[in-house]
């Protein structure tokens, strides 16, 4: 693929920056930092543009907080000005990433996502006998800054854009030379792109047809177990030697008819259900909503909105967990706003 060029000027164009402001403030309009930026919008946009052009823009202003969903993660959210910058970059660079990625990677892509990835996994499970899963240790924390920037230079040609990429990447743990912040828009696309090199190796060099990746969740399918393990071992070597990523020691292999845990689901050739961890999370979150409602922390409208969002994944086409879902709902105040007993 020919390297993309002449993107820096469109990125710093005022119309693109205005569009980026609109994208960055979605769902955050009432936050003080957003209101302050909007109160002086034109002067702020002028400052961002001039600082980008002369290379003086400050980067690396983050806020950090911890979530448990289900395992503990540290979210590193950039300040609003940097969010605007990230959206401005991705507005122009996303189509380049999109053209380069293979069809069977599903994270950070319009019209794809988790639900489509699960459906594709079921399709492969129905046509193959065996699977193998690849596991990377602490993926976002492990990405090499130098290797990532070298790979970006193979896709983008504009020197000023590559310099901006380098400043963004090294603004987080620059002294360590490794790691991308979870919670940054550019990080999502950079991380997805980074493993795209393994995607191409698996599909184009090793000719594996049954393959799905959602960020760092990767599964291969085949009918020859020994060949599948051989390819998986090649993939592990590629991750270690080429992408400088550590992997978990043991490859997880199995028969498709027994099911595979993937993206919160248990995927089998004939059905998809919520896996054990997702069932537990669903139950706990729904009951926590009930408690907040009964304690007066949520009104009924907010309760319904959050419960609907929580139910969404369990109700998507192809997931056969309605009996479990109905059982939990019957125990919760959501079904009638009655206090639990026992």
């Amino acid at each position: 693929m020919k390297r993309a060029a002449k993107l820096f000027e469109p990125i710093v164009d005022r119309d693109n920056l205005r569009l980026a402001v609109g994208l960055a403030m979605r769902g955050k309009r009432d936050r003080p930092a957003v209101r302050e930026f909007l109160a002086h919008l034109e002067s702020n946009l002028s400052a961002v543009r001039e600082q980008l052009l002369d290379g003086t823009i400050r980067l690396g202003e983050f806020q950090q907080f911890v979530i448990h969903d289900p395992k503990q993660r540290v979210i590193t959210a950039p300040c609003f000005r940097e969010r605007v910058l990230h959206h401005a970059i991705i507005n122009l660079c996303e189509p380049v990433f999109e053209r380069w990625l293979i069809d069977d990677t599903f994270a950070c892509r319009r019209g794809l996502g988790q639900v489509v990835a699960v459906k594709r996994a079921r399709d492969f499970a129905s046509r193959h006998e065996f699977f193998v899963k690849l596991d990377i240790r602490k993926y976002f924390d492990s990405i090499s800054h130098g290797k990532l920037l070298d790979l970006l230079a193979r896709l983008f040609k504009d020197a000023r854009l590559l310099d901006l990429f380098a400043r963004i990447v090294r603004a987080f743990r620059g002294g360590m030379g490794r790691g991308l912040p979870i919670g940054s828009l550019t990080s999502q696309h950079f991380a997805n792109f980074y493993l795209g090199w393994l995607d191409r190796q698996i599909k184009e060099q090793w000719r594996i047809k049954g393959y799905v990746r959602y960020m760092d969740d990767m599964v291969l399918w085949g009918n020859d177990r020994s060949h599948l393990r051989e390819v998986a071992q090649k993939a592990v070597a590629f991750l270690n030697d080429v992408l400088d990523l550590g992997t978990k020691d043991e490859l997880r292999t199995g028969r498709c008819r027994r099911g595979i845990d993937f993206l919160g689901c248990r995927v089998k050739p004939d059905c998809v259900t919520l896996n054990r961890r997702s069932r537990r999370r669903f139950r706990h979150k729904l009951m926590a909503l009930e408690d907040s409602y009964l304690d007066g922390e949520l009104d009924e409208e907010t309760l319904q909105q959050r419960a609907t969002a929580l139910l969404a994944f369990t109700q998507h086409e192809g997931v056969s967990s309605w009996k479990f879902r109905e059982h939990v709902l019957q125990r919760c105040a959501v079904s009638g706003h009655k206090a639990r007993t026992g």
Side-chain angles (χ1 to χ4, degrees), residues 59 89 145-146 148-150 152 159-172 174 180 190:
L59 299 172
I89 291 170
H145 292 176
L148 170 61
L149 293 172
D150 287 345
L152 285 168
R160 288 185 295 177
L161 178 58
L162 291 172
D163 180 67
L164 182 57
F165 284 163
R167 294 191 61 194
I168 290 172
V169 168
R170 290 172 175 149
F172 182 74
L180 295 178
F190 289 166

Side-chain angles (χ1 to χ4, degrees), residues 85 93 199 260 272 278 293 314:
L85 171 59
C93 294
D199 297 341
I260 175 176
V272 177
S278 291
Y293 172 76
T314 72

Side-chain angles (χ1 to χ4, degrees), residues 30-283:
D30 293 333
R31 296 187 180 182
V34 178
R35 292 202 304 267
E36 182 180 350
F37 192 95
L38 295 178
H40 307 282
L41 179 61
E42 293 306 319
S43 60
N44 282 327
L45 288 180
S46 295
V48 169
R49 174 176 164 77
E50 291 304 317
Q51 291 164 8
L52 284 169
L53 288 171
D54 63 22
T56 61
I57 191 165
R58 300 190 320 276
L59 299 172
E61 296 182 26
F62 302 113
Q63 290 184 338
Q64 290 188 321
F65 54 94
V66 177
I67 63 170
H68 298 82
D69 191 29
K71 59 186 178 182
Q72 179 174 305
R73 297 180 187 273
V74 178
I75 303 300
T76 304
C79 67
F80 184 72
R81 176 176 48 80
E82 289 190 41
R83 284 176 56 85
V84 171
L85 171 59
H86 292 181
H87 277 284
I89 291 170
I90 296 304
N91 286 346
L92 274 297
C93 294
E94 184 177 23
V96 180
F97 288 127
E98 181 65 26
R99 288 193 299 270
W100 185 83
L101 291 167
I102 68 167
D103 291 340
D104 284 325
T105 184
F106 294 87
C108 306
R109 303 182 74 181
R110 299 175 190 272
L112 298 180
Q114 183 178 357
V115 171
V116 182
V118 170
K119 290 180 180 179
R120 185 64 164 158
R122 181 185 174 184
D123 177 54
F124 282 134
S126 69
R127 292 191 279 127
H128 297 91
E129 187 174 357
F130 302 103
F131 71 84
V132 59
K133 289 188 72 173
L134 301 177
D135 290 306
I136 298 174
R137 294 196 198 97
K138 298 182 178 180
Y139 177 50
F140 273 74
D141 288 338
S142 302
I143 294 173
S144 164
H145 292 176
K147 175 61 68 174
L148 170 61
L149 293 172
D150 287 345
L151 294 176
L152 285 168
R154 296 172 66 176
L155 195 62
F156 297 92
K157 189 176 181 180
D158 193 318
R160 288 185 295 177
L161 178 58
L162 291 172
D163 180 67
L164 182 57
F165 284 163
R167 294 191 61 194
I168 290 172
V169 168
R170 290 172 175 149
F172 182 74
R173 298 181 182 174
M176 298 174 60
R178 192 177 290 274
L180 295 178
I182 298 175
S184 165
L185 180 62
T186 52
S187 291
Q188 295 174 31
H189 286 273
F190 289 166
N192 202 34
F193 162 76
Y194 197 70
L195 280 177
W197 296 87
L198 175 64
D199 297 341
R200 285 179 166 265
Q201 194 73 16
I202 288 172
K203 298 290 286 188
E204 297 172 2
Q205 301 300 318
W206 302 329
R207 303 293 182 180
I208 297 296
K209 294 182 179 180
Y211 173 70
V212 169
R213 179 173 69 83
Y214 186 90
M215 197 54 79
D216 58 329
D217 287 309
M218 297 166 283
V219 187
L220 295 82
W221 287 267
N223 292 315
D224 184 331
R225 188 168 192 162
S226 60
H227 175 65
L228 197 61
R229 286 187 62 87
E230 179 183 340
V231 172
Q233 289 167 352
K234 289 181 181 179
V236 168
F238 186 91
L239 288 166
N240 293 339
D241 300 339
V242 178
L243 297 181
D244 195 18
L245 295 170
T247 55
K248 296 182 180 178
D249 295 333
E250 186 175 351
L251 292 172
R252 288 188 281 173
T253 62
R255 293 183 180 273
C256 295
R257 60 182 172 82
R258 295 179 180 173
I260 175 176
D261 283 343
F262 184 61
L263 301 181
C265 293
R266 187 73 176 171
V267 179
K268 295 182 179 181
D270 58 345
C271 68
V272 177
T273 61
L274 298 180
N275 65 14
R276 183 178 301 176
R277 176 178 288 180
S278 291
R279 289 169 183 254
R280 185 168 58 249
R281 289 170 59 199
F282 175 80
R283 182 184 295 110

